[in-house]
Amino acid sequence: MELYETMRSTFSARQYTGEDMSDELLYQILENARFAPSGGNRQAGKIIVVRDKPLQAAIADLSLETARRYTAQSMAGETPYSPIHETALTAEQIAAVEPLPQLTDHLRNASVLLAVCLDLGSIAALDKDLDRISLASGGSIYPLVWNILMAARAEGFGGTMTTISLAVEPAVKELLNVPEDWALATLVPIGKPVKQLTRLKRKAVEEFVVRDRFDGAPFAQ
Ligand SMILES: Cc1cc2nc3c(=O)[nH]c(=O)nc-3n(C[C@H](O)[C@H](O)[C@H](O)COP(=O)(O)O)c2cc1C
């Protein structure tokens, strides 16, 4: 598949046919994805290839309460888990909502679940002392994840970058024997998509790119 076509069509695949992604194909994808950049080229990531179905199910189960709150906040028109705005919902209101199955089912049903970890002792979080959450650290791992997802797409497979399980990171880390100084960056379920989407809903360049200043003119042709 041509690069631009892959970039334009790598969707979040959440429903899978059950067809297996072989270790051979996964290795080939990782063998190419590994050329992603990382801060200082320290390559501080480690990926756990989870194929153990009860383990996948346990991770999905651990994520249910997060999915419940995520669903409740979405239904209420809030940005779930916003680092700036607290939820206006009460614990009772959240408890009354059923979590959307699509938030956790793919963790369970994927042919393979990649648990992507990051060694916090090997990353330079340049924004760590600012009065906001750190973003820079994620830059050392998410390019690798996106390479994997685009390669999977090019091979006729698909997956989703998920963060739903990160709210219960300590419990997931315990299940996977992840050491204390390592963070869980994302869990990536991958499988053969039931449907291959090709048209993604995204903003036009002019809607989010500007010239010279944040309030500058839209960057248009
Ligand atoms: C940082 C990040 C976190 C995400 N977390 C989840 C998640 O926990 N569960 C999920 O189903 N999708 C998750 N997604 C997928 C987004 O929902 C998806 O990219 C978006 O809705 C666009 O969907 P599309 O690519 O199919 O058009 C995440 C995506 C990103 C980039």
Side-chain angles (χ1 to χ4, degrees), residues 28-37 143-145 147-149 151:
Q28 183 186 316
I29 288 170
L30 294 167
E31 166 57 22
N32 288 286
R34 71 190 172 92
F35 291 96
L144 171 65
V145 175
N147 269 1
I148 294 169
L149 284 166

Side-chain angles (χ1 to χ4, degrees), residues 201-210 214 216-220:
K201 211 172 137 199
R202 299 291 189 266
K203 288 179 183 172
V205 170
E206 292 78 358
E207 290 177 84
F208 72 100
V209 186
V210 291
F214 193 91
F219 184 80

Side-chain angles (χ1 to χ4, degrees), residues 11-12 14 106 160-164 202:
F11 66 102
S12 294
R14 297 189 178 87
H106 47 353
T160 303
M161 175 151 22
T162 79
T163 48
I164 200 84
R202 299 291 189 266

Side-chain angles (χ1 to χ4, degrees), residues 102-148:
Q102 61 261 38
L103 286 174
T104 51
D105 279 357
H106 47 353
L107 304 174
R108 238 179 267 280
N109 302 334
S111 167
V112 60
L113 182 65
L114 304 180
V116 184
C117 308
L118 184 64
D119 179 4
L120 297 178
S122 298
I123 52 154
L126 275 301
D127 54 356
K128 77 185 178 73
D129 295 324
L130 300 183
D131 193 16
R132 62 156 171 79
I133 58 159
S134 172
L135 294 180
S137 4
S140 276
I141 193 69
Y142 294 122
L144 171 65
V145 175
W146 194 241
N147 269 1
I148 294 169

